[in-house]
Amino acid sequence: QVQLVESGGGLVQAGGSLRLSCGASGRTFSSYAMGWFRQALGKEREFVAAISWSGASTYYADSVKGRFTISRDNAKNTVYLQMNSLKPEDTAVYYCAAEEDLTVGVHYLVPSDFGSWGQGTQVTVSS
């Protein structure tokens, strides 16, 4: 497993932007597919975006498609989530996740697809 630490959350007004980062350590980062999930208060954890180990394939939830961009820098062992045009309904704790040998871009992903998780970072979007 890898150890994951998220950063970059905060409070932003609707329409604004934030960039989340997730640093990884412990294993070969470049062999892991990476994902972002979020969990709003009182709701289940939901898929946001994922990226393949090489960065060649990405997949997004319909709710964020066109507004969020996932990317990775394997030299820095870091995955990013650029969030633009934020809405109040994007308010949640955002979690980074990692899994080896996971195919990205074929089907919707769920939390059980990933074995390693970060502690989460709070994103709050005010109206």
Side-chain angles (χ1 to χ4, degrees):
Q1 289 189 341
V2 292
Q3 288 73 51
L4 305 172
V5 179
E6 302 96 336
S7 61
L11 174 63
V12 63
Q13 288 188 334
S17 298
L18 281 175
R19 188 176 81 155
L20 305 183
S21 299
C22 173
S25 62
R27 292 291 297 271
T28 306
F29 176 73
S30 59
S31 67
Y32 281 75
M34 302 296 296
W36 286 97
F37 287 76
R38 66 187 182 187
Q39 188 166 16
L41 194 63
K43 295 188 177 181
E44 293 187 352
R45 192 167 298 190
E46 66 173 2
F47 171 75
V48 174
I51 189 166
S52 62
W53 66 271
S54 67
S57 296
T58 57
Y59 198 79
Y60 296 92
D62 288 343
S63 59
V64 306
K65 202 172 295 182
R67 299 188 298 122
F68 291 10
T69 302
I70 189 171
S71 61
R72 67 189 296 160
D73 185 339
N74 286 346
K76 296 183 178 180
N77 285 5
T78 302
V79 63
Y80 305 98
L81 185 68
Q82 178 66 45
M83 305 185 295
N84 299 329
S85 302
L86 283 162
K87 305 174 181 180
E89 52 263 43
D90 294 318
T91 295
V93 177
Y94 282 71
Y95 296 91
C96 174
E99 183 61 39
E100 277 191 298
D101 300 324
L102 178 64
T103 300
V104 172
V106 176
H107 60 82
Y108 189 84
L109 298 171
V110 295
S112 60
D113 288 324
F114 293 85
S116 298
W117 291 86
Q119 82 290 348
T121 185
Q122 176 70 47
V123 172
T124 302
V125 184
S126 63
S127 58

